[in-house]
């Protein structure tokens, strides 16, 4: 995926980072997955998309739900 991202505009696409984060999670590479989720969060434009990304960050322990 990283080679593909370097050769295309995928680095600016939030779903690329979300897919990468999911794959990294499956590989037990939690720190890298959190970074990918954070990148996705900076790129996502829609409210539902942002909620999804933030829920995955909460699931990863990288973000807490505000009171």
């Amino acid at each position: 995926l990283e080679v593909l991202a370097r050769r295309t505009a995928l680095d600016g696409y939030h779903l690329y980072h979300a897919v990468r984060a999911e794959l990294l999670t499956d590989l037990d590479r939690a720190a890298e997955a959190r970074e990918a989720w954070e990148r996705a969060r900076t790129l996502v434009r829609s409210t539902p998309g942002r909620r999804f990304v933030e829920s995955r960050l909460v699931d990863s322990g990288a973000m807490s739900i505000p009171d």
Side-chain angles (χ1 to χ4, degrees), residues 6-18:
R6 284 193 297 267
R7 293 184 180 180
T8 66
L10 285 178
D11 186 56
Y13 187 49
H14 75 279
L15 291 177
Y16 161 75
H17 295 283

Side-chain angles (χ1 to χ4, degrees), residues 1 9 11 14 16-18 21 26 29 31 35-36 42 44 46-47 54 57 60:
L1 282 176
D11 186 56
H14 75 279
Y16 161 75
H17 295 283
D26 290 346
R29 293 165 57 180
E35 289 175 15
T42 66
V44 69
S46 71
T47 300
E54 289 176 349
L57 277 164
S60 74

Side-chain angles (χ1 to χ4, degrees), residues 4-54:
L4 184 61
R6 284 193 297 267
R7 293 184 180 180
T8 66
L10 285 178
D11 186 56
Y13 187 49
H14 75 279
L15 291 177
Y16 161 75
H17 295 283
V19 168
R20 185 169 174 271
E22 290 290 348
L23 292 172
L24 289 166
T25 298
D26 290 346
L27 294 171
D28 293 324
R29 293 165 57 180
E32 292 170 275
R34 282 190 297 274
E35 289 175 15
W37 282 123
E38 286 291 351
R39 178 72 174 134
R41 185 176 174 215
T42 66
L43 295 169
V44 69
R45 299 287 179 239
S46 71
T47 300
R50 181 171 305 280
R51 286 185 189 137
F52 172 75
V53 169
E54 289 176 349

